[in-house]
Each structure stands twice: as structure tokens, then as C-alpha cells.
Amino acid sequence: MQIRGRLTLLFLMLASGILAAVLFAVFWMFRQNMTEAFYQGLASKAEVTVKTILPEIDKVQISDATWIAPDENSKLPYQDNISIFNSNYERVFSVHSDAVPVPVNDLANIYTRSRYKFEHFNLCAFGMSATGHNGSAYIVVAEGSPDSTAVSKLRNVLIISFFLGIILVSATGWYYSGKALEPMSAIVREVEHIQPSDLSRRLQPGKNQDEIRKLAVTFNHLLERVERAFLMQKMFVSNVSHELKNPLTVIRSQLDVALQRDRTADEYKIALESVLDDIRDLSETEQRLLHLARVYTNPHSIEMSATRLDELIWQAVDQLHKQFPGARAIIYFSEMPEDGEDLEISANEPLLRMALVNIMNNACKYSPDNQATLNAFFRADGKHTLEIADNGPGIPDEEKLLVFEPFYRSPRHLLSVRGTGIGLSLVKSILDLHNIAIRIEDRVEGGSVFILSLN
Ligand code: ADP
């Protein structure tokens, strides 16, 4: 069942329960009042009888049970029956000769309590005791059936009102639940139109600060992530094929040229060394792509452990020298804490090391003297800063963010420097994973400085 139907049903059940309870309370109170009023009527009839009929009966001084027919001209407002009993519980007067007998225990109750309400033979009865002139005791009983027409009329009206109420409640419940869910349906309609080819579409969050707006905003965030992931994948696929195709073409043409004619051993050696260089580049690209894919596709699977930042820097320098034999890295540690534990951070050691190596490698690659300077500012609160500076051409402001995009290579270096355009995007992804911010600033003396801020 749809939410709209369920809401309406729930609303209906709740409202009909309340309505039934209220209507029943009204009916019950009305019937109680009617019965009470009827008993009051019986009581006043009994009192009038005591005042008017009883003295006459008393004058007659009945010793035995004698039937006295009521006076034809009696002014009593009879509709029901009124009886008078003597102290032996014998009926000495009755408006209707065929009146049903009153049980003796009820008569005894009237006698002891002097005024008593009771029911017998489906009749409501009121009895009161009275005393004659000569002290003889009598019991006067007025009895009858209350007029049930008003009660049944009210019952019918209430039953009709109940069903009308239910119909009204169902209709309004259906209408308002539809209205309340309308923004949700609008979202569903909008989402249905979003295709993988058009992930730039966004939902309208609406003006109200409600859950629907929250849902739309959350969905928009999800769309942003999906769009980014789609874009990445698209770029990834097209660039991977491009990145692999280029070196393969170069290798192929070098081998073609080498095989065109017989060459000396030295010439073959030079050609093979050049091919080996290209294969090394290719394998580096492949390694970087693998890392990039892992960091992008499943960042949560990457394990973190306590890592000493100073040791990590030295390991990165070692690795840099292996990768780039001509590279020179100058390291400065400032504000070195006394306790080595202050330098511990939670990190994935191989990945973070790779990020540092990439930045230093670039710094050496783009500097004419192949030199990178790393300044580490350690702080006891863990907010360490690493600055990696170079003497290179610098990075123009408009490229400072672009260089972190996957496969972005500055047009200034396309021909002059070998590269893949993956390094810095990999660096950025790894740093994001470690919650480390990175920014590029210009150095006054020329070149750029990459600033990494931890925490
Ligand atoms: P590449 O393999 O091309 O170096 P990166 O992702 O490492 O790929 O860098 C992207 C671009 O950023 C480079 O093409 C280059 O233009 C620029 N860049 C990176 N580091 C430096 C630097 N230290 N100095 C100047 N430009 C740099």
C-alpha cells in the first residue's frame, strides 16, 4: 500500500476511534439524563399520590386487603402505574388493575430506606414509604417505562453522524496526505528524469525548511558525488587509453626505425636503452593509475596506522633518490618536539610517502638545479606544516587548482618535460584521504612552494 493510503487509513482509524468514543459518551450521558429525569417524574407522581390518594384510602381504614378502584375523575397525571401497598405488602390501590406484582424484597427495601429506585419487569420504579393519620404504614410505588423515542432518535442521529464523519475524515485525510506528499512525488518525478547522460540536473529543494528539503539537498549531494565519479571514470578511461597509446607508439616507431637496416651493436644498445626508458615510464604510469583507481574507487578500504612523520619524510627522500638519481633534497626540521610521539599521525604509510615523493619529484623535475627544499614545522598540537619549495618556473594563479585535476599538464611543459599529469591528482586524493590540506604559493625568489597543513 502506498504511503498516502496508509496515512489516510491511520488518520481514519484514529479519527473514527475518537469520534466513536465522543458520540458514545454523548449518547450515554443523554440516556442517563433521560432516565434520571424519568425517575424524578416517578418520584413526583409518588409524592402527589401520597398527598392526594393516600388520605382517602386512609379514611377508609382498610383492615384487610381490599381493592379500591381509582376515581374516574382522578387528577393524577397517569400514564404509568401507581400502586399503594399496606404494611403487609398487599396492594390496596392501583391505577391499572392488571399491574404486574412488585417483588416483596423491593417493597421491603422501600420500607427500610423510605425512598428507593429499582427496576422490575423491564419497568423503572420509584417507591416511597408514607404514614396514614392513624399511624398505619403505606408504601407508594410509581412505575413505568421511559419514553425511548428520544433516545433512539438521538442514537440514529449519532450513527448517521458517525458514518458521515468517517466519510468526511477519509476524504480530508486522502486530500491532505496527498498534499503533504506532493513535494515527495515531485521529487520522484524529477528523479525519474535524471539520466546517466545528464547528471548535471539537480532537484529543486523548495522554500520550506522541512524534511523534504533535506531529502532534496541530500539527493543533490549524492548526485554531485555520482556526477564526479562518472566524470572521473570517463576521463580515466579516455586518458588511460591515451596515456598508454602514446608511449606504445613511441616504442613501436623506435623499434621500427632500429630494424629498418642493420646497425652496429652500439646503435642497437642506444635504441634498446631508449625503449627501456619508455617502458619504465609506461610502467610508472600504470602503477600511478592503479593507485589512483584504488584511492578513488574504494577509499574506505585503505588502512591507517600510527606513523612517525619525520621518519616518513626520510623514507620519502630515500625513495626520491632511487627514482630520480640526480635529485637533491634539502630537509629542515623546525620546532622538533622532545617527545617523538608528538610526531605520530594516523596515515597509510606507503600512500602518504608516495604523495611526498611525487611533490618532491616534481620540485626537482621542474627546477633547473634539480633541487627541492622541504621545511617541516612540527607542533605539539599535531597541526604540523610541511613546505616543499623549488626553484622552478612557478605555477601561474590560473593553474594553481587545475594542476590537481587528473591528467592536467600545463601547456608550458607539454613538450619540454616528460610527465603523465597524474602525479598531483594522486597527491590531492591521498592528502584528502588523510585530511591534509594542500595549497600552492609563489616564492619571492622564484619557483613555487607546496604547503601541506595537517589537521
Ligand atoms: P606531470 O607528470 O605532468 O608532472 P603532475 O600531476 O605531477 O603531472 O603535474 C601536473 C602539472 O603541474 C605539470 O604538468 C606541471 O605543469 C605542473 N607542475 C607540477 N609541479 C610543478 C612544479 N614544482 N613547478 C612547476 N609546475 C609544476
Side-chain angles (χ1 to χ4, degrees), residues 195-432:
Q195 299 296 327
S197 54
D198 185 20
L199 285 173
S200 58
R201 282 181 78 146
R202 293 290 178 271
L203 304 179
Q204 294 301 320
K207 289 181 197 113
N208 297 343
Q209 296 287 339
D210 53 13
E211 286 79 1
I212 306 280
R213 186 189 164 85
K214 245 188 190 170
L215 181 74
V217 170
T218 313
F219 200 84
N220 282 345
H221 286 155
L222 175 73
L223 276 179
E224 262 158 44
R225 289 197 294 271
V226 172
E227 188 190 10
R228 207 174 127 74
F230 249 73
L231 215 74
M232 293 304 308
Q233 212 172 27
K234 254 187 183 163
M235 272 179 23
F236 203 76
V237 172
S238 64
N239 284 297
V240 163
S241 59
H242 177 256
E243 290 304 316
L244 296 181
K245 206 173 93 190
N246 269 357
L248 284 176
T249 317
V250 174
I251 290 171
R252 196 178 151 180
S253 53
Q254 284 190 81
L255 291 176
D256 276 346
V257 172
L259 291 172
Q260 264 170 10
R261 59 180 171 82
D262 285 342
R263 297 184 185 274
T264 61
D266 278 353
E267 281 173 333
Y268 279 127
K269 198 177 165 204
I270 291 169
L272 284 177
E273 271 171 0
S274 169
V275 168
L276 195 64
D277 271 354
D278 288 332
I279 289 173
R280 269 199 206 107
D281 278 358
L282 199 62
S283 116
E284 190 188 325
T285 308
E286 182 247 9
Q287 280 301 315
R288 285 178 165 194
L289 284 173
L290 275 180
H291 282 300
L292 195 63
R294 189 168 163 229
V295 173
Y296 272 132
T297 52
N298 205 358
H300 302 294
S301 69
I302 290 164
E303 286 164 15
M304 302 282 190
S305 59
T307 306
R308 285 261 316 236
L309 196 54
D310 52 341
E311 286 171 8
L312 192 79
I313 292 170
W314 288 122
Q315 287 168 11
V317 171
D318 268 359
Q319 208 169 320
L320 172 74
H321 286 137
K322 277 185 205 140
Q323 270 182 23
F324 192 160
R328 265 183 5 112
I330 302 169
I331 310 295
Y332 294 107
F333 286 168
S334 314
E335 302 161 39
M336 196 69 184
E338 279 176 20
D339 188 354
E341 276 189 14
D342 286 349
L343 294 176
E344 260 180 15
I345 57 165
S346 165
N348 180 289
E349 208 177 300
L351 282 181
L352 195 54
R353 188 170 53 232
M354 184 193 302
L356 289 181
V357 173
N358 277 347
I359 301 173
M360 288 197 283
N361 198 332
N362 274 353
C364 297
K365 190 163 79 174
Y366 291 99
S367 300
D369 54 1
N370 292 345
Q371 182 175 302
T373 310
L374 189 149
N375 264 303
F377 300 94
F378 298 122
R379 282 184 44 171
D381 60 2
K383 294 189 191 295
H384 314 298
T385 310
L386 305 184
E387 295 184 358
I388 298 155
D390 61 59
N391 308 311
I395 299 175
D397 285 347
E398 62 276 16
E399 283 187 21
K400 281 195 170 89
L401 288 177
L402 280 178
V403 291
F404 294 111
E405 292 295 322
F407 305 105
Y408 178 81
R409 296 202 65 211
S410 169
R412 294 170 302 128
H413 305 128
L414 271 183
L415 296 175
S416 54
V417 187
R418 291 176 85 120
T420 58
I422 304 173
L424 285 185
S425 77
L426 184 56
V427 166
K428 178 81 172 81
S429 309
I430 293 173
L431 295 184
D432 282 350

Side-chain angles (χ1 to χ4, degrees), residues 50 54-55 57-59 61-65 83-93 107-108 110-114 128-141:
V50 168
L54 189 66
I57 290 169
D58 198 36
K59 262 190 247 156
Q61 289 291 320
I62 305 157
S63 51
D64 302 320
S83 314
I84 300 176
F85 295 84
N86 63 15
S87 54
N88 295 327
Y89 301 152
E90 292 157 342
R91 201 194 299 259
V92 293
F93 170 85
L107 291 173
I110 299 168
Y111 196 68
T112 47
R113 296 183 199 182
S114 81
M128 64 184 284
S129 59
T131 317
H133 281 305
N134 61 350
S136 40
Y138 292 98
I139 292 167
V140 179
V141 175

